[in-house]
Amino acid sequence: MRSTSGQHAAAIGICAALASQISMNLGAGFAKQLFPMLGAYGVTSLRTALAAAMLFALYRPWRRPVTRAAIPALLIYGAMLGTMNLTYYQALARIPIGIATGIEVMGPLAVVLLASRRPRDFLWLALAVLGLILLLPLGHDDRLDPVGIAFAFAAAACWALYIIFGKRVAGTLGSNAAPWGMLVAAVLTLPIGLGTTGTILFSPAVLLIGAGIALLSSAIPYSLEIEAMRRLPAHVFGMLLGASPAVGALAGYVILDEVLTPVQWLAIGCIIVSAIGSSVVASRPTTTLET
């Protein structure tokens, strides 16, 4: 019975993680179209503020007070969530979605490799490094902005910490971790957005468009990710996120006509295989998934 229950929880977690990637990348594609009007910081702050409002209306987390012991991890989780959004959107403003996501997913990959600590994982690490070498502008594509690449690496570091601390707060706060974490992210990002765009953020047209982006990019995916992290070990969750560069590249192509070169697709493929392969190896000793 416990095994069946664990398999059911794992299946829900897997579906939630994959659905979150589709929603988030579609939202990123639509958000990038707003950059000329609001800038990356403005779009980020609009997204996080509206997503926090949506999540609070949906979950009403104040009904379950946050314990004092959970506050430090929650603050770090929310801060990493806000900083990850700020740096990722700055990367999107400069480089294609697929490439930005390919670099950003190195954060979850690092979580996987550190969790496993096996000599064979150096092979997966080598494959990931090969993917980065092919992806970065070392002569094959001088159009990539180095500042955008730096922001993508910063987002990768934030994503790694987001997974680690998200797993902790999900275990103590459950679904309420998403609205509380998004509130912290909004408090962090909103002053930056207002400082760069002014009161245009509060115009009805911008709020309406922003609500759609917040729903796709934040409210839906982060709620789904919390549900996934509640049901899956961190390394399995990281494995599922390994597919996000391909989803991002497809979203960029469909929404923004961003076309990647064959070498860049090969690089993304190396990173995806590295993330998925290392996670599969890391999960082999585990016979059942904890709920």
Side-chain angles (χ1 to χ4, degrees):
M1 178 68 68
R2 180 174 176 81
S3 177
T4 302
S5 176
Q7 291 175 356
H8 180 68
I12 295 176
I14 290 170
C15 292
L18 294 176
S20 75
Q21 289 306 304
I22 295 173
S23 180
M24 185 177 297
N25 282 287
L26 286 175
F30 291 120
K32 190 168 181 176
Q33 294 179 320
L34 278 184
F35 287 178
M37 180 193 307
L38 301 177
Y41 286 134
V43 175
T44 303
S45 62
L46 181 67
R47 164 186 166 179
T48 54
L50 291 176
M54 291 176 183
L55 291 174
F56 263 73
L58 178 63
Y59 289 102
R60 291 179 286 177
W62 59 84
R63 297 181 300 174
R64 180 182 175 184
V66 179
T67 62
R68 182 174 298 180
I71 290 177
L74 176 61
L75 290 176
I76 297 175
Y77 165 71
M80 289 303 100
L81 178 57
T83 308
M84 178 176 65
N85 279 287
L86 287 171
T87 53
Y88 179 62
Y89 271 28
Q90 286 296 318
L92 290 190
R94 295 167 172 85
I95 58 179
I97 293 178
I99 295 177
T101 309
I103 296 173
E104 190 189 29
V105 83
M106 297 301 291
L109 177 57
V111 173
V112 171
L113 293 175
L114 290 174
S116 182
R117 299 175 183 174
R118 298 177 177 182
R120 74 185 70 176
D121 286 331
F122 284 104
L123 296 175
W124 301 116
L125 178 61
L127 186 60
V129 171
L130 174 61
L132 280 178
I133 292 174
L134 294 173
L135 197 60
L136 298 182
L138 301 177
H140 67 268
D141 190 351
D142 58 4
R143 293 174 297 173
L144 291 180
D145 187 331
V147 176
I149 292 172
F151 273 118
F153 274 111
C158 292
W159 201 354
L161 293 172
Y162 162 79
I163 291 175
I164 294 170
F165 287 94
K167 183 71 175 176
R168 295 181 186 179
V169 296
T172 56
L173 299 179
S175 299
N176 287 340
W180 285 121
M182 190 60 69
L183 177 63
V184 175
V187 170
L188 174 68
T189 59
L190 189 56
I192 299 174
L194 289 174
T196 57
T197 63
T199 57
I200 189 177
L201 285 179
F202 300 117
S203 66
V206 170
L207 287 174
L208 182 60
I209 298 173
I213 293 174
L215 189 64
L216 281 174
S217 298
S218 297
I220 292 176
Y222 291 135
S223 296
L224 291 172
E225 285 186 1
I226 283 294
E227 295 302 317
M229 284 188 282
R230 288 176 61 192
R231 293 169 171 83
L232 300 171
H235 64 269
V236 176
F237 181 69
M239 174 192 71
L240 295 170
L241 296 184
S244 60
V247 178
L250 290 174
Y253 174 74
V254 172
I255 300 173
L256 302 168
D257 292 326
E258 293 179 345
V259 179
L260 302 184
T261 67
V263 172
Q264 289 168 342
W265 273 111
L266 177 61
I268 289 174
C270 289
I271 294 171
I272 291 173
V273 172
S274 175
I276 295 177
S278 60
S279 297
V280 169
V281 171
S283 63
R284 280 179 182 171
T286 304
T287 55
T288 58
L289 292 174
E290 296 179 359
T291 60

